Amino acid sequence: MASLTGHPDAVPTPAADGAEGRATGKQPRVRTEGRFTGPAGRIEDYAIIGNCRTAALVGRDGSIDWLCLPRFDSEACFARLLGDVENGHWQIAPDDHLTARTRRRYRGNTLVLETVFETDTGTVAVIDFMPLPHREDEISIIRLVEGREGSVPMRLEAAFRFDYGRIVPWVRHRPDGIVAIAGPDALRFRSPIALHGESMKTVGDFTVEAGDRLPFILTWYPSHLPEPGVIDPFRSLIDTETWWQGWAHNCTYDGPYRDAVLRSALTLKALTYAPTGGIVAAATTSLPEELGGERNWDYRYCWIRDATLTLYALLGAGFTEEAAAWRDWLRRAAAGRPEQLQIMYGLGGERRLTELEIPWLSGYEGSKPVRVGNGAHAQLQLDVYGELLDAIHVARKKRLTHPHDAWRVQRVLLGYLEKIWHKPDEGLWEIRGPRRHFVHSKVMAWVAFDRSIKAVEQFGLEGPVRAWRALRDRIHAEVCAQGFSAHRNAFVQSYGSEMLDAALLQIPMVGFLPPDDPRVIGTVEAIERELTVDGLVRRYETESGVDGLAGEEGTFLVCSFWLADALAMIGAADRATALYERLVGLANDVGLLAEEYDPIAGRQLGNFPQAFSHIGVINTALNLAEFRGPAEDRSHNGHGAVAAEAQ
């Protein structure tokens, strides 16, 4: 009978000895020094691997420090990212990894990560990937250790935890590894080397010679089900690489910056929950917008605000199937009474995203609190109506097949928006201070009516278009009268305010005013002049206290992409291109971007990798390319209305 212990400290099992799993046969040595300790790495030190169900973050040091199982929004099994090694991690690296020379890459156009360690005695590679699951109740990570040159002493250390690093599981030993169980969750860990317990962790010491290939396989499954069967790790590597390369082959974009565009598309695919088509804003929660601050939010959900720009990014890169799946997710999530439309939903369209704090995690570099769930799901944000109806309009224009009931739903939403568009709200940036009449929110209400009018004019649908035109004109006049500051020569954040807001860069992009309008040019130039730090754009002036939060934040990367878009639209193409190239250059060594960037400290901030930032990479590349990009395409929707109003 297998032993049952509180931690894996039973007698080590024999090392495997096979053609593809040969180890040196050295017995594990219990050590009291040289442990893998210390805080998580910098945000940009991580790479993502995933299987379109969930994702893991792998550090340059060979440590998996973040993994939620079985979904993006499940409790974390490895949570060192927001705490320390005791909260869960899985590291495979040379004994002297702190002095090893490290380089890494994705293997071609895939999500298979290869990290190479060069030591004084040899070279070893760790290849990390997540096979696409064949069944929803099993999620696996495979790590292959390959000896490339010489001989390299290695160490494996795994702290298996559940519930965001709080629960230490019971462990049953198996001849080829262990099973770890706590409540509904179980992990089957298969290892070709001997393992033993040490300080509530599973560890193993081994030496890799040139030519060795050692597979380590971790599989999650529901604890009430039988243990999962054996996976062929080498066949899985081939299958996984083939699948990602086949997917990437669908990319039709062949313009400038293609490598950055394709890597961003791969990242968006990695953030997609395949069963529903929903795309999470990021794979993480509570990575801070200010180190040591309280601006820490859970981004493992799907935002309506991303709708239109996501569609443009996917369609512009040639991924029609993913665009259609995202469109369908939007339609299902928005179903229900119009007054119950939320700004964000769970992966399957779940509505209750209750926000909680996790007190046992110390936070990334001491940034507390750590939050799961997101209280902003209950906010009123008028812009989501414009984003949703704009996305529906894009789908019609791009000839994505559309459900017959979409127009009926659209009309119901418009009927409700007619009653509430004049109200103050929390705005695009989800402020936690008092509601205000945010100019961007009113502009997006205008978009909702404008796109519905276009549906009648361009697609022959039926609706009270005369009333909609009158309301569209009323909103437009009010925004121009109350949302523009003659003193600043710019549109401002909210009625009666003199503060700027990067969301106002959307004004020419959505077609509210043409790019050559002096008010647009004044707004773009004011934001470029006054809302940037070292040329990168802040969302708004946090010191104003508008958001009800203490502290500051970094520059917001998607807003900087919006500035590049706006500069291109007003004719400043050279400045737009220079800014875009700088932004792409901020990506880490494997092409990934977080939500924000601190130009003073020179490091990334916020949740990672951030879908909105990678949407910006794609759409701005399209905007700078020779053919008409999303900004001009989207803005063209509204110019006719503006021109008619001016006559």
Side-chain angles (χ1 to χ4, degrees), residues 82-84 87 358-368 370:
L82 300 178
D84 58 34
N87 298 122
I358 304 297
W360 58 85
L361 290 177
S362 58
Y364 181 85
E365 295 196 17
S367 304
K368 298 185 73 172
V370 171

Side-chain angles (χ1 to χ4, degrees), residues 598-612:
D598 182 347
I600 306 302
R603 59 182 299 185
Q604 297 191 26
L605 294 173
N607 284 305
F608 176 89
Q610 178 80 2
F612 227 4

Side-chain angles (χ1 to χ4, degrees), residues 440-459:
H440 175 264
S441 296
K442 308 301 185 189
V443 168
M444 294 311 297
W446 177 92
V447 167
F449 290 102
D450 179 76
R451 302 315 191 248
S452 301
I453 294 166
K454 294 296 190 297
V456 173
E457 295 173 342
Q458 298 175 6
F459 299 100

Side-chain angles (χ1 to χ4, degrees), residues 266-458:
L266 285 159
T267 304
L268 291 181
K269 184 64 173 177
L271 296 174
T272 300
Y273 184 64
T276 66
I279 301 175
V280 297
T284 58
T285 178
S286 299
L287 287 180
E289 297 170 4
E290 178 188 32
L291 293 178
E294 66 172 327
R295 298 169 182 266
N296 317 314
W297 315 109
D298 193 345
Y299 275 21
R300 298 171 299 157
Y301 306 112
C302 309
W303 266 256
I304 296 291
R305 74 180 182 203
D306 302 354
T308 305
L309 295 176
T310 301
L311 277 180
Y312 270 118
L314 292 171
L315 291 169
F319 298 105
T320 304
E321 182 178 331
E322 284 68 25
W326 170 243
R327 186 277 321 274
D328 289 342
W329 179 91
L330 289 167
R331 177 177 58 86
R332 293 191 304 271
R337 297 171 61 182
E339 63 269 27
Q340 295 175 331
L341 181 67
Q342 297 185 180
I343 68 166
M344 71 178 85
Y345 297 88
L347 306 179
E350 298 88 350
R351 292 172 174 266
R352 189 172 293 112
L353 310 177
T354 305
E355 185 174 300
L356 303 171
E357 295 183 4
I358 304 297
W360 58 85
L361 290 177
S362 58
Y364 181 85
E365 295 196 17
S367 304
K368 298 185 73 172
V370 171
R371 295 182 173 95
V372 299
N374 198 312
H377 77 274
Q379 288 186 348
L380 173 64
Q381 294 182 26
L382 296 173
D383 65 288
V384 299
Y385 292 90
E387 293 291 358
L388 180 59
L389 300 190
D390 197 16
I392 292 174
H393 188 65
V394 170
R396 288 195 186 100
K397 287 201 310 175
K398 301 300 182 181
R399 293 181 172 82
L400 291 177
T401 56
H402 215 84
H404 68 279
D405 62 347
W407 180 239
R408 181 176 60 82
V409 171
Q410 186 168 346
R411 290 189 56 174
V412 171
L413 290 171
L414 279 177
Y416 182 66
L417 185 58
E418 288 180 31
K419 302 174 184 177
I420 66 167
W421 72 269
H422 62 282
K423 293 184 177 182
D425 70 340
E426 277 90 2
L428 172 69
W429 305 129
E430 301 167 8
I431 64 161
R432 302 214 171 188
R435 290 180 176 179
R436 299 170 186 253
H437 291 283
F438 287 102
V439 171
H440 175 264
S441 296
K442 308 301 185 189
V443 168
M444 294 311 297
W446 177 92
V447 167
F449 290 102
D450 179 76
R451 302 315 191 248
S452 301
I453 294 166
K454 294 296 190 297
V456 173
E457 295 173 342
Q458 298 175 6

